[in-house]
Amino acid sequence: MSESKGFNKLHKGVQKWIWSQKWTSLRDIQEEAVCPILDSDCDIVISASTAAGKTEAAFLPACSRLMEQHPNGIGILYISPLKALINDQFRRLQSLCKILDISVTPWHGDVLRSTKIKQQKNPNGIVLITPESLESLLLNRGSWCSKAFNELCYIIVDEFHAFIGTERGCQLQSLMHRLEFLIERTIPRVALSATLGDMNQVADALRPNKKLPCKIINSTVSHSDLKLQLRGYLIHAQQNERTVSSIGEIACDLYKILRGKSHLIFANSRARTEEIAARLSDMCKQDLVPNEFFPHHGSLSKEIRESLETRLQKEKFPTTAVCTMTLELGIDIGSVDSIAQVTSPHSVASLRQRLGRSGRRGEPAILRLFIPENEITVKSHLLDRLRIHTVQCIAMINLLLKKWYEPAISNKYHFSTLVQQTLSVIGQYGGVQASQLWVLLCESGPFSSIDQALFAMFLRSLAEKGLISQLGDGQLVLGYKGENLVGHYSFYTAFSTPDEYRLEFNGKVIGTVPIDKPLTQEQHIIFAGKRWEVILVDDKHKLITLKKAKGGTPPQFSGDGLNVHDIVRQEMQQIYSEKQTPVYLNEAALLALKEGFDYFHALNLDSRQIIQMGNMVHAFPWLGDRVTNTITVLLQVYGLKADSFGGVIDIRNCTLDDFFNTVKKILYVPQITSTELASNIPDTVIEKHDPFLPKTIRDIGYGSRTFDVDGAYKWLTQIVSSTHDQVEKFQPSKC
DNA sequence: GACCTGCTGCGGATTG
């Protein structure tokens, strides 16, 4: 340790703590972070997987600086997307901060008011907060903030990747910017993030206006070895009415392979999570052994989730969590023996995150993928015949091994969050000039894509809706409706949440179900891994009462589509073309893959991307969902009956001539903008405050986040020019 | 044919 350059620069008290932890050395990211954080003249992104010591990499030097500087007021502001993570970090920071005599204060909706009042009276040390609670502080206690944060040394943002490209992430950017504006000083930002494809994009998201340089610290430690298996399953046609109920064979294998140790099973949807957990519990019961399989997802009550997290942490009993994304983020559950992935993961980056949970103390990480494909019948769709799921998994594994990850989502416009931030700033200062507001939020802030003219139009629409009004001297103040909106506690979140029913058993809430997928009396359901009957639906109190029962299927949950990246589809095309056959497939997966290859080559898909079958035309751009969705809507606008799924575009009642003539028509006129394309979508109310915006403004935001117009035109141009005989048939005079 | 997150201020009753 004494040879470590970083260690020697740390404060004596911090060194003492490190000795007490019996660490023999600092990890690479910790070593590398010491100097730039101590110098505090730049922002820093620390990127590594879960449990790589990112928290210490940030806090050891940051606390060292606090010990030397002794700021008057709060020294470090730590911002986390999860309350559970704040509680974890609060526990983890205890011993270090006790030695240093720095106070740590958790600050979120579940924290006792007395704790907050204590910090309000004597602001100091480290505050661990959510974006929503920070929003409330700026809005309601602006002048307290300017004093309390006056000598703030660092802002540390945990799980930063979870914020990027989202409304909540835009809110976070705005909050950090407003805080700096308030204290008239730039504060170094430290982001702790998973590894994404382009880390410079992560730096841009951390400080969009680039007023400080950003240093990127990427973990160079290669991951421990990976043991990998892809297991194929055939779902028989007659069972196929509900995919989730045909999961029996997979559940049997999961039981045989996983029982007796601790694992995570990622099942991609809450319904499938419940189905698998219930089947696994049933098998334990049948074998008269204690149950060790439990579901974990966002609709389960906090108590049920926490008791499972604690059981995993304690490592006393073998425990397998069947889970959704909830166990992908950094909540402390220790590490598990292996990861099972049922159905294809949504992204390479998320597969990487999930893998980070496996591999105990230098043991290889173990990943098993359980991939169902549908039995082929006369009615089967091309995608089933191509065995698209198996190939998508192989593509994602190829990319994972190449260390390619999806880049962060870039999203230029967040009008819904601009509504929130506009109202919040006006509420904070009481009254603001429109020009000041534009400079703060747009010119120097995170809404930099919005020019003065667009901002003026935006403000006029807020005034029309009664959210704001203008005084004689030009000052903007909150209108009646604006006061109401800002005054309600639901104002602090940038994202919207649909109404839900609470599910209750014996007077205890066990979770929630969405209100738009109602349950009915006497219906049998699976929830929290157990089987129930609905005995009462109370619409007035949004409460559903349950009793124990047998049988049943999971309730329906709502959700949006998924977004596969261009590079994943291109990798898939290459796998088909080259007939790549990896070694980690079991016999069934191997058979499925061979069937897929045979069909791909029977259709000559290695040399063409457009085919006609019956009265349908199928297009295979081998590009991501943003591009295929854009092409699909373009074709629809020009009158074709187009639909897309899984990267393939189906056009009904269409011939190759119809298709190519339409594409020619599209290309004959100047390129449409994403906003124009969105104007054809009837309902563009998606985000929380969209109802306050006119459709013209909503379409700008909707178009830019949904469509990739350049990508679509690039493909359309290429498909026309590479199909010579079709070019001959085209007659522009007909357009 | 997808997932996830979050929340104030104040009045009134109760307790030490």
Side-chain angles (χ1 to χ4, degrees):
Chain A
M1 189 62 85
S2 55
E3 287 168 22
S4 159
K5 248 168 111 184
F7 179 82
N8 290 323
K9 295 208 165 184
L10 293 170
H11 181 265
K12 288 269 177 305
V14 176
Q15 292 180 346
K16 196 173 144 195
W17 180 81
I18 293 174
W19 286 120
S20 77
Q21 298 304 107
K22 303 202 165 67
W23 292 3
T24 51
S25 65
L26 292 180
R27 306 254 182 96
D28 61 334
I29 50 167
Q30 293 165 346
E31 184 77 38
E32 230 184 302
V34 172
C35 287
I37 293 183
L38 282 177
D39 295 346
S40 69
D41 53 1
C42 63
D43 293 333
I44 293 141
V45 174
I46 301 175
S47 137
S49 60
T50 318
K54 287 190 293 245
T55 308
E56 289 77 10
F59 275 102
L60 297 180
C63 287
S64 284
R65 172 132 186 144
L66 238 54
M67 293 308 287
E68 277 148 29
Q69 197 159 328
H70 291 292
N72 187 9
I74 295 163
I76 300 174
L77 183 63
Y78 162 97
I79 307 175
S80 154
L82 300 175
K83 290 186 288 192
L85 201 55
I86 288 178
N87 299 342
D88 272 353
Q89 301 292 34
F90 175 64
R91 259 176 271 133
R92 281 177 72 180
L93 287 168
Q94 285 306 309
S95 64
L96 171 66
C97 290
K98 203 169 173 190
I99 289 185
L100 303 177
D101 197 26
I102 297 175
S103 88
V104 187
T105 309
W107 190 302
H108 57 66
D110 300 342
V111 172
L112 289 177
R113 206 153 67 100
S114 56
T115 310
K116 295 178 185 172
I117 290 171
K118 203 174 141 203
Q119 179 66 215
Q120 258 163 18
K121 284 187 180 151
N122 174 29
N124 74 108
I126 303 171
V127 169
L128 317 175
I129 202 166
T130 58
E132 289 73 17
S133 286
L134 182 56
E135 181 79 66
S136 136
L137 280 179
L138 279 175
L139 172 61
N140 301 311
R141 305 189 188 278
S143 55
W144 177 81
C145 286
S146 60
K147 280 190 227 107
F149 293 115
N150 191 41
E151 296 185 18
L152 184 67
C153 300
Y154 303 98
I155 295 178
I156 300 175
V157 187
D158 209 346
E159 303 283 358
F160 186 63
H161 57 278
F163 286 109
I164 302 177
T166 66
E167 297 296 318
R168 203 176 181 207
C170 181
Q171 176 189 25
L172 172 66
Q173 290 173 335
S174 180
L175 293 171
M176 293 191 292
H177 183 67
R178 283 166 58 191
L179 188 59
E180 289 186 347
F181 177 80
L182 191 65
I183 63 173
E184 299 173 314
R185 198 160 54 80
T186 310
I187 308 152
R189 300 176 186 173
V190 181
L192 313 181
S193 170
T195 307
L196 297 177
D198 178 359
M199 293 312 291
N200 288 318
Q201 262 185 299
V202 179
D204 287 346
L206 183 60
R207 189 182 298 274
N209 70 14
K210 297 191 167 71
K211 263 179 96 178
L212 274 188
C214 184
K215 182 173 169 57
I216 293 163
I217 298 175
N218 231 321
S219 173
T220 52
V221 172
S222 59
H223 314 298
S224 50
D225 292 336
L226 173 63
K227 283 189 179 172
L228 193 62
Q229 187 186 34
L230 196 164
R231 304 170 63 94
Y233 293 84
L234 202 59
I235 305 299
H236 297 290
Q238 60 268 34
Q239 309 179 339
N240 202 19
E241 283 170 6
R242 286 205 62 181
T243 320
V244 284
S245 61
S246 54
I247 213 96
E249 203 188 331
I250 292 180
C252 285
D253 283 359
L254 285 168
Y255 183 78
K256 274 184 240 159
I257 298 168
L258 303 184
R259 207 179 75 81
K261 285 190 171 182
S262 290
H263 313 270
L264 296 179
I265 302 173
F266 288 96
N268 283 357
S269 79
R270 282 169 287 188
R272 198 181 289 117
T273 296
E274 287 288 354
E275 175 85 23
I276 292 174
R279 278 173 184 269
L280 290 168
S281 306
D282 286 351
M283 285 184 254
C284 289
K285 208 182 257 177
Q286 238 165 38
D287 290 356
L288 302 173
V289 295
N291 180 36
E292 54 185 68
F293 300 96
F294 307 91
H296 191 284
H297 59 76
S299 295
L300 289 169
S301 73
K302 196 176 129 190
E303 289 69 30
I304 291 179
R305 286 157 62 172
E306 280 176 357
S307 80
L308 175 54
E309 288 158 24
T310 312
R311 185 176 156 138
L312 276 162
Q313 246 175 62
K314 283 189 178 159
E315 302 186 6
K316 202 172 158 195
F317 305 106
T319 307
T320 291
V322 193
C323 58
T324 57
M325 253 174 56
T326 44
L327 289 184
E328 203 177 292
L329 288 180
I331 299 171
D332 185 15
I333 53 161
S335 61
V336 294
D337 293 290
S338 88
I339 303 295
Q341 170 71 47
V342 180
T343 70
S344 186
H346 296 309
S347 72
V348 182
S350 117
L351 182 61
R352 173 73 211 115
Q353 278 286 97
R354 291 172 182 190
L355 264 180
R357 291 289 198 180
S358 164
R360 295 180 190 268
R361 289 170 218 92
E363 293 283 303
I366 299 172
L367 171 68
R368 296 185 184 88
L369 301 108
F370 298 75
I371 307 302
E373 294 279 5
N374 289 318
E375 187 182 32
I376 304 296
T377 68
V378 279
K379 284 187 191 163
S380 289
H381 189 267
L382 281 170
L383 290 171
D384 283 333
R385 297 178 192 271
L386 282 168
R387 300 307 191 198
I388 207 92
H389 304 293
T390 306
V391 176
Q392 184 176 319
C393 276
I394 296 171
M396 290 201 170
I397 291 165
N398 280 356
L399 293 167
L400 179 84
L401 296 176
K402 284 185 210 165
K403 298 191 186 215
W404 176 91
Y405 310 106
E406 286 83 0
I409 299 164
S410 60
N411 202 345
K412 266 169 79 183
Y413 299 100
H414 290 276
F415 287 104
S416 170
T417 302
L418 183 59
V419 173
Q420 183 205 35
Q421 291 304 302
T422 299
L423 297 181
S424 185
V425 171
I426 295 175
Q428 177 184 345
Y429 294 97
V432 193
Q433 296 285 341
S435 55
Q436 294 174 318
L437 203 52
W438 181 76
V439 169
L440 172 60
L441 292 176
C442 305
E443 192 188 42
S444 67
F447 302 94
S448 57
S449 303
I450 293 162
D451 61 20
Q452 275 170 303
L454 183 54
F455 191 62
M457 185 173 135
F458 167 83
L459 289 179
R460 274 196 299 276
S461 61
L462 295 195
E464 275 164 29
K465 297 276 182 188
L467 293 180
I468 57 173
S469 62
Q470 197 162 28
L471 300 180
D473 61 355
Q475 285 227 58
L476 297 173
V477 294
L478 291 176
Y480 175 70
K481 274 195 182 167
E483 291 276 8
N484 279 342
L485 202 66
V486 169
H488 193 264
Y489 64 82
S490 62
F491 176 72
Y492 306 107
T493 48
F495 54 89
S496 62
T497 35
D499 275 347
E500 291 174 322
Y501 282 103
R502 283 168 297 143
L503 294 177
E504 199 180 274
F505 170 66
N506 263 355
K508 267 193 185 162
V509 174
I510 59 169
T512 57
V513 288
I515 219 149
D516 57 329
K517 315 262 182 193
L519 298 176
T520 51
Q521 219 161 324
E522 294 181 21
Q523 187 179 345
H524 285 234
I525 60 160
I526 293 176
F527 195 85
K530 299 188 175 83
R531 297 169 191 279
W532 313 92
E533 184 185 327
V534 174
I535 52 175
L536 196 69
V537 179
D538 180 350
D539 288 317
K540 199 177 150 201
H541 300 98
K542 304 277 173 273
L543 187 68
I544 290 173
T545 318
L546 304 173
K547 69 173 183 185
K548 291 205 167 159
K550 288 198 169 137
T553 50
Q556 277 187 288
F557 298 95
S558 26
D560 310 324
L562 39 87
N563 257 334
V564 174
H565 192 271
D566 287 341
I567 298 290
V568 175
R569 291 266 158 71
Q570 283 166 15
E571 185 74 25
M572 289 169 69
Q573 183 184 27
Q574 200 170 344
I575 291 167
Y576 280 115
S577 297
E578 297 171 1
K579 296 192 183 182
Q580 287 179 30
T581 310
V583 294
Y584 49 78
L585 307 188
N586 79 345
E587 216 166 294
L590 206 58
L591 184 67
L593 186 64
K594 191 181 172 300
E595 287 169 350
F597 287 162
D598 289 347
Y599 197 67
F600 181 92
H601 290 278
L603 291 178
N604 287 326
L605 285 176
D606 52 338
S607 59
R608 55 181 190 163
Q609 299 193 341
I610 310 289
I611 58 170
Q612 175 143 30
M613 293 176 86
N615 63 351
M616 289 257 265
V617 169
H618 303 280
F620 296 81
W622 300 111
L623 291 167
D625 286 326
R626 276 182 88 215
V627 175
T628 40
N629 289 339
T630 309
I631 298 168
T632 306
V633 174
L634 261 171
L635 294 173
Q636 285 169 356
V637 168
Y638 277 77
L640 293 188
K641 293 193 172 74
D643 277 305
S644 64
F645 178 65
V648 179
I649 303 167
D650 294 343
I651 307 135
R652 279 168 289 141
N653 299 326
C654 181
T655 64
L656 286 177
D657 278 357
D658 295 338
F659 174 81
F660 280 103
N661 279 324
T662 306
V663 173
K664 285 285 186 174
K665 279 187 206 166
I666 293 170
L667 296 176
Y668 193 67
V669 291
Q671 183 168 321
I672 198 169
T673 65
S674 62
T675 308
E676 286 164 346
L677 201 54
S679 71
N680 292 284
I681 308 286
D683 185 9
T684 50
V685 174
I686 308 284
E687 302 296 345
K688 186 174 180 183
H689 297 300
D690 281 350
F692 297 119
L693 297 167
K695 184 153 194 308
T696 45
I697 290 186
R698 284 203 313 265
D699 289 349
I700 299 171
Y702 184 94
S704 94
R705 83 177 158 255
T706 314
F707 299 127
D708 178 354
V709 177
D710 288 340
Y713 274 74
K714 197 176 154 199
W715 182 77
L716 291 171
T717 309
Q718 168 243 309
I719 202 69
V720 169
S721 63
S722 68
T723 318
H724 295 293
D725 57 335
Q726 298 300 334
V727 174
E728 305 278 311
K729 287 180 190 165
F730 174 67
Q731 293 162 345
S733 57
K734 275 190 183 171
C735 296

